Amino acid sequence: MENKSSLQTMLKEAGILFAITLIAGLLLGVVYELTKEPIRIQQEKAIQEACEAAFPVSEDDAPGMDGFPRFLFRPISDYTLDEAFLSELAASGVEIGTIYTVIDNIDSLMGVSAHCGYVVEVTSKDGYGGDIVLYMGVDLEGTVRGVSILELSETAGLGMEAPKVLTPQFAGRNVESFVYTKTGAQADNEVDAITSATITTSAVVNAVNGGLRTVQYLSENPEKVNLMGGGVNE
């Protein structure tokens, strides 16, 4: 009788545990369904803002017309980067994500050639506190239009200063690559390092160089990229 009672108790407890697990699973499913769309919208908004910061409308650009932004950012779904090139980037801790073609909306509406540059999503795996994800824009002349850091988890007061201290230094530069210095930037390809945050500085500079090299690679090998695609702000 005692064994039977123990078995009944075990079955009862197992049934209760199963019911709790089932209910928890259902609730998680409901929460996921309710939140996935707002999360997706927020992610798309963050990417859109990063693209706009990486390729801003400058004083030399005419503003967009009412209801039409000046630049559109279309993710390129069809491009090829050779394994040797990717290995070269990986050696500096860099990975390339989505590449966007930048479309001049005014030229597009007028029916003329509208491709005016690229925005490249770049991840540095060598940040002090983890991955650093940034977006950088480069026009057809090879000039960096801007750099926007989307993900950063560095030390507060040090590496976390990268968006304020580092990224503004790249804009408007037309160089093959960048280096950082601790003694004050003198040349066009030099950027001032963040004080006491050399690892973060190096990671950001390597990421920017990786994005710059990617644009140079695609410009030199146009057969490896198909500029057609849907846009994040269309």
Side-chain angles (χ1 to χ4, degrees), residues 26-229:
L26 291 172
L27 289 174
L28 285 173
V30 170
V31 170
Y32 171 75
E33 289 298 325
L34 290 175
T35 59
K36 69 176 183 179
E37 185 62 15
I39 290 174
R40 183 190 66 79
I41 292 173
Q42 283 298 113
Q43 290 174 336
E44 288 187 353
K45 180 180 178 183
I47 291 172
Q48 173 67 29
E49 291 175 349
C51 287
E52 291 174 351
F55 209 101
V57 178
S58 72
E59 294 181 357
D60 296 329
D61 297 318
M65 293 180 285
D66 290 343
F68 295 94
R70 179 62 195 255
F71 298 123
L72 302 177
F73 306 97
R74 293 178 176 170
I76 301 171
S77 58
D78 185 11
Y79 69 89
T80 304
L81 302 178
D82 291 343
E83 287 300 322
F85 179 76
L86 292 174
S87 296
E88 176 190 331
L89 295 182
S92 59
V94 172
E95 293 182 356
I96 301 300
T98 305
I99 301 176
Y100 301 83
T101 176
V102 182
I103 302 299
D104 188 318
N105 203 19
I106 293 179
D107 286 347
S108 178
L109 292 171
M110 295 177 64
V112 298
S113 179
H115 171 58
C116 61
Y118 295 92
V119 169
V120 185
E121 177 193 11
V122 191
T123 299
S124 171
K125 311 298 289 185
D126 292 339
Y128 184 80
D131 291 353
I132 299 174
V133 180
L134 59 81
Y135 284 65
M136 61 172 299
V138 184
D139 64 24
L140 297 183
E141 285 71 46
T143 300
V144 177
R145 295 289 292 250
V147 175
S148 175
I149 297 179
L150 188 64
E151 296 181 19
L152 187 69
S153 54
E154 305 295 272
T155 304
L158 297 174
M160 287 301 289
E161 296 297 300
K164 181 172 68 175
V165 176
L166 282 181
T167 58
Q169 298 186 62
F170 298 105
R173 307 283 186 93
N174 189 321
V175 297
E176 289 191 5
S177 63
F178 291 93
V179 296
Y180 68 87
T181 177
K182 300 179 182 179
T183 58
Q186 300 292 327
D188 284 346
N189 69 330
E190 292 182 337
V191 296
D192 290 318
I194 303 173
T195 303
S196 301
T198 303
I199 293 177
T200 303
T201 300
S202 176
V204 171
V205 169
N206 285 342
V208 171
N209 284 338
L212 196 55
R213 278 286 295 118
T214 299
V215 172
Q216 293 166 351
Y217 178 90
L218 294 177
S219 298
E220 293 166 0
N221 301 275
E223 75 282 358
K224 294 184 179 292
V225 57
N226 180 358
L227 295 179
M228 302 302 292

